[in-house]
Amino acid sequence: MKILAVGRNYAEHIKELSNEKPDEPVIFSKPETALLKNNEPFYYPDFSTDIHHEVEVVIKISKMGKNIEEQFAHKYYEEIGLGIDFTARDIQSKLKSKGLPWDLAKGFNDSAPVSEFVSKSDYDLSNLNFSLDINGERKQTGNTSLMLFSFDYLISFISRYFTLKTGDLIFTGTPSGVSPVKTGDHLTGHLENKLMFDFEVK
């Protein structure tokens, strides 16, 4: 399986990082070794001092497809989850300043915690609330109605370049409110009112 992620998909997050609004989705990938499941703790790496949380709705691809038309994209996933795109912001800033790829800042071990997955049929995907709390304090809130590019558009766009396979994950972008995490933090994430993940930074 592969992990594909979307950058700059919420206008307020673009603004908070002083990035340009994209004309088309900004796509990057994480290796399978970035996955962190079952509420396992995230161990703070020794190569960064500025790891940021970015909470995101995650799509789980249910069948193989490429060059998928947007009108048929909904047939290629049945489940959604919640995840965090942990980002080594200090490393990313250094790489971006030199025009270099973000891989080291985005794809390091355990940088993609994911929740359980739930049926998409239980939710209104065009108006879906999600959130992240740290130590009981709300840090990020998002609603999919505010995405620049919808789930179906993202699937269609990505599938022009990469064949999507069963089990692939698409991180669909983060809202504003990103900030650093530190050792000892307790992170909880919700889709609507459903608790999706609950883990610690160690």
Side-chain angles (χ1 to χ4, degrees):
M1 59 81 66
K2 54 186 172 290
I3 305 168
L4 297 164
V6 183
R8 306 177 188 176
N9 201 22
Y10 287 83
E12 290 302 312
H13 177 58
I14 294 170
K15 191 181 300 182
E16 75 178 344
L17 294 187
S18 301
N19 289 322
E20 291 184 16
K21 186 175 179 179
D23 295 324
E24 58 184 27
V26 175
I27 305 298
F28 60 94
S29 63
K30 291 175 178 260
E32 187 176 357
T33 49
L35 271 184
L36 185 63
K37 299 179 179 180
N38 303 318
N39 290 317
E40 291 285 329
F42 172 75
Y43 288 91
Y44 207 110
D46 60 7
F47 50 74
S48 174
T49 58
D50 195 23
I51 302 289
H52 283 207
H53 58 78
E54 299 188 6
V55 70
E56 315 198 4
V57 178
V58 182
I59 296 170
K60 187 175 185 179
I61 298 298
S62 58
K63 66 177 181 178
M64 183 184 293
K66 63 179 178 179
N67 294 315
I68 300 165
E69 293 184 37
E70 185 177 354
Q71 62 184 355
F72 301 124
H74 66 279
K75 297 182 177 182
Y76 288 82
Y77 66 106
E78 302 298 332
E79 294 180 305
I80 57 172
L82 200 64
I84 294 181
D85 166 23
F86 275 132
T87 303
R89 194 72 73 200
D90 45 358
I91 295 175
Q92 186 188 37
S93 296
K94 184 167 64 174
L95 292 169
K96 285 171 67 174
S97 71
K98 298 178 180 179
L100 297 173
W102 305 348
D103 296 56
L104 295 179
K106 289 285 194 178
F108 55 90
N109 288 339
D110 300 335
S111 62
V114 292
S115 70
E116 62 177 314
F117 285 83
V118 295
S119 173
K120 70 176 185 180
S121 63
D122 294 336
Y123 298 92
D124 177 358
L125 300 184
S126 65
N127 184 28
L128 177 62
N129 293 298
F130 60 102
S131 61
L132 172 71
D133 291 357
I134 299 182
N135 305 324
E137 179 184 350
R138 184 61 46 91
K139 290 293 187 178
Q140 286 186 272
T141 58
N143 185 287
T144 54
S145 66
L146 301 175
M147 293 195 301
L148 301 181
F149 306 106
S150 70
F151 292 166
D152 290 352
Y153 183 87
L154 291 173
I155 288 172
S156 177
F157 179 85
I158 290 170
S159 72
R160 290 166 53 194
Y161 299 89
F162 306 107
T163 297
L164 293 173
K165 293 187 175 183
T166 302
D168 286 352
L169 302 180
I170 300 176
F171 280 63
T172 59
T174 196
S176 61
V178 301
S179 62
V181 296
K182 62 183 185 300
T183 301
D185 280 347
H186 179 200
L187 280 63
T188 53
H190 289 81
L191 273 179
E192 296 295 349
N193 295 319
K194 181 176 175 59
L195 178 66
M196 298 297 289
F197 59 71
D198 182 346
F199 68 94
E200 294 184 346
V201 178
K202 292 188 175 181

